[in-house]
Amino acid sequence: KHDGIVEHRAQFLTSLGKLSTIIGAGKQVVRTCLSKLIKMQLIEVNTERLYSIITICNYDDYFEAEVNKPKDELKNEDTKPVEAPKEDKPKKTKEEIAAADLALVNQEVIIGGADLGISGYPCFNADYSLCDSLVGAGFDVICHATNHAMDKGRAGLVNCAEYWRDEYPQITVLGIHDTADTSTSCGADPAIIELGDMRIAVLNYTYGTNGISLPADMPYAVDLLNEEQVAADIQRAEELADFTIVCPHWGTEYRLTSDASQEKWTKIFAENGADLILGTHPHVIEPIEWVTDEASEHEMLVYYSLGNFVNWTSGTGEGVANRMVGGMAEVTITKNDHGEVEIADYGVKPMISHVASGPEGVTTYFLEDYPEELAEENEIVSQDPEFSREYCVNLCDSIWGDLWKAE
């Protein structure tokens, strides 16, 4: 009992400040971690006056598992030498993702499960284990509105949506719907994510589905770029949230600059009040710029295309090297003195898809951790001899200037 508050079994009394000090992380990070644990139903948090009571769910299961261990097993645990974690570069990519308060990813292909057949170009389908990997990497938001969303028809889309909902209810999945009640086109509100005292709206759309029609009885199945719907969604998001992110699947494949369609949609996003645009689809990186709506003077940050995060293409010849370079957008938002949420800092970290023969042959490295010797071993060189570390650096310089080098 402390200050009139009683602690029961599986509970402990703490505060945000105390947790922040113990963990060695900022209060915003602690809030986000607690929110994720609550969503995963691992803990419950009740706040009373200056303190919070955290209850560990299923505590007895953990406790019994520990006390019932054989004595020799406990002894081995006590005497087992602790090995220092290995410094492997792929793990650093994962750590960067997991450390973000909110991590978003564009999931290019539908995850319809092995029963529908694992397949590649032109009609893709992935195993459910890809969902497990995305969650394991630390992503919080999965954007599924892409031109490949209908590659396996109704079954693929429904399988994908159901698996996410059943296995990972704590993950925010955008862009596809197996029921009308989650679609803004059927009256649902945009997805809102709470980060401490900030409410973030995230919207995801695609320009199309490669000519594959949506099911007649599921016109809401994929969120498409429709002017009237997009405008209504952003306006509603602005009513409900402090900050609006739009993730459009748009542009021209393999083009290093924005096209007329992207310019058109950028104007629509800005005039309706969106704050941040994270673009995908071209499979190569494109410029990053601030855009101002002339009428309202509202400013919006646009990443036209982040390229590929993980990629292995069958293409050959000039330009293939460009597809091996991607970008991790890093954006910091904060509340100003007027209580408005704004972008305080932003940047981009270049990443390289390194290809080696065999299963699990693609590894993502940050460019800063990717030595020339390793670049020479990247098997993509056989498909485009121009590929090298220097080539990747020059590409980032030409598209992003010094932004990617900012500390």
Side-chain angles (χ1 to χ4, degrees):
K1 186 173 181 179
H2 178 79
D3 197 21
I5 301 174
V6 178
E7 290 178 278
H8 298 287
R9 180 181 174 83
Q11 292 182 334
F12 63 94
L13 189 68
T14 187
S15 67
L16 193 63
K18 186 174 181 180
L19 284 175
S20 178
T21 300
I22 294 172
I23 297 172
K27 291 184 180 179
Q28 181 60 56
V29 174
V30 174
R31 287 193 190 98
T32 301
C33 291
L34 290 175
S35 177
K36 289 184 177 181
L37 290 171
I38 292 169
K39 287 180 180 179
M40 295 171 69
Q41 299 181 344
L42 295 176
I43 64 170
E44 294 177 356
V45 179
N46 294 304
T47 301
E48 299 184 16
R49 297 196 291 275
L50 300 177
Y51 306 100
S52 292
I53 297 177
I54 296 180
T55 304
I56 302 172
C57 302
N58 301 318
Y59 173 80
D60 287 338
D61 293 343
Y62 303 133
F63 182 77
E64 289 176 11
E66 189 67 26
V67 299
N68 290 332
K69 282 184 178 179
K71 292 182 179 180
D72 58 343
E73 185 176 337
L74 292 172
K75 182 179 180 181
N76 287 340
E77 283 190 357
D78 292 337
T79 58
K80 189 184 299 180
V82 178
E83 296 183 5
K86 295 180 180 179
E87 284 293 325
D88 86 334
K89 294 180 177 65
K91 186 177 180 183
K92 289 181 69 176
T93 307
K94 176 180 175 180
E95 290 173 351
E96 191 91 5
I97 297 165
D101 291 325
L102 186 65
L104 301 84
V105 66
N106 170 71
Q107 176 47 46
E108 185 73 20
V109 307
I110 199 69
I111 306 175
D115 287 349
L116 298 181
I118 307 304
S119 56
Y121 182 83
C123 287
F124 296 91
N125 182 47
D127 183 69
Y128 293 137
S129 60
L130 182 52
C131 297
D132 308 333
S133 296
L134 290 169
V135 175
F139 289 109
D140 307 294
V141 179
I142 314 296
C143 295
H144 263 296
T146 78
N147 55 309
H148 293 290
M150 291 300 299
D151 277 7
K152 286 296 179 179
R154 178 195 189 106
L157 185 144
V158 170
N159 285 1
C160 184
E162 286 183 345
Y163 188 85
W164 279 118
R165 183 170 56 250
D166 294 345
E167 299 298 325
Y168 297 106
Q170 78 278 16
I171 299 297
T172 300
V173 178
L174 302 175
I176 61 171
H177 312 275
D178 61 334
T179 59
D181 59 358
T182 60
S183 172
T184 58
S185 66
C186 296
D189 282 330
I192 306 293
I193 298 167
E194 295 190 9
L195 292 178
D197 61 349
M198 294 184 284
R199 289 169 59 82
I200 316 300
V202 189
L203 298 163
N204 175 217
Y205 307 95
T206 179
Y207 71 91
T209 53
N210 288 349
I212 303 174
S213 299
L214 303 185
D217 61 340
M218 294 175 63
Y220 50 78
V222 181
D223 290 330
L224 301 173
L225 282 167
N226 171 282
E227 286 190 42
E228 184 178 348
Q229 187 65 56
V230 168
D233 289 349
I234 297 175
Q235 290 169 22
R236 180 59 175 158
E238 286 293 288
E239 293 174 2
L240 299 173
D242 303 304
F243 192 87
T244 301
I245 303 172
V246 181
C247 303
H249 208 65
W250 63 352
T252 302
E253 288 186 326
Y254 317 130
R255 175 177 169 136
L256 294 168
T257 58
S258 58
D259 63 16
S261 174
Q262 287 168 291
E263 300 296 335
K264 166 197 161 183
W265 280 106
T266 295
K267 185 174 185 298
I268 293 171
F269 297 151
E271 65 188 16
N272 283 286
D275 300 293
L276 173 64
I277 309 302
L278 302 173
T280 57
H281 176 62
H283 297 294
V284 293
I285 60 174
E286 291 182 348
I288 302 164
E289 67 175 2
W290 283 95
V291 172
T292 303
D293 177 56
E294 294 181 1
S296 65
E297 297 186 349
H298 171 70
E299 292 184 321
M300 178 180 76
L301 179 61
V302 184
Y303 289 75
Y304 284 102
S305 175
L306 292 169
N308 293 318
F309 174 40
V310 179
N311 173 59
W312 189 350
T313 178
S314 60
T316 59
E318 184 180 355
V320 166
N322 296 341
R323 307 181 206 177
M324 311 312 291
V325 181
M328 180 184 288
E330 295 187 320
V331 181
T332 302
I333 61 175
T334 187
K335 273 194 174 181
N336 61 26
D337 294 338
H338 304 290
E340 301 167 332
V341 175
E342 61 185 12
I343 294 175
D345 194 17
Y346 70 99
V348 65
K349 295 193 72 170
M351 300 176 295
I352 307 299
S353 289
H354 180 80
V355 177
S357 296
E360 301 181 1
V362 183
T363 304
T364 301
Y365 292 83
F366 286 121
L367 178 55
E368 63 185 4
D369 299 321
Y370 193 63
E372 181 59 46
E373 312 87 76
L374 193 57
E376 292 173 359
E377 298 174 6
N378 194 324
E379 294 187 15
I380 206 67
V381 172
S382 65
Q383 296 166 241
D384 185 352
E386 291 296 315
F387 180 86
S388 66
R389 187 183 190 282
E390 182 181 10
Y391 182 96
C392 298
V393 169
N394 291 339
L395 177 64
C396 293
D397 284 343
S398 66
I399 304 300
W400 293 328
D402 292 332
L403 180 61
W404 73 277
K405 299 174 181 176
E407 294 183 359

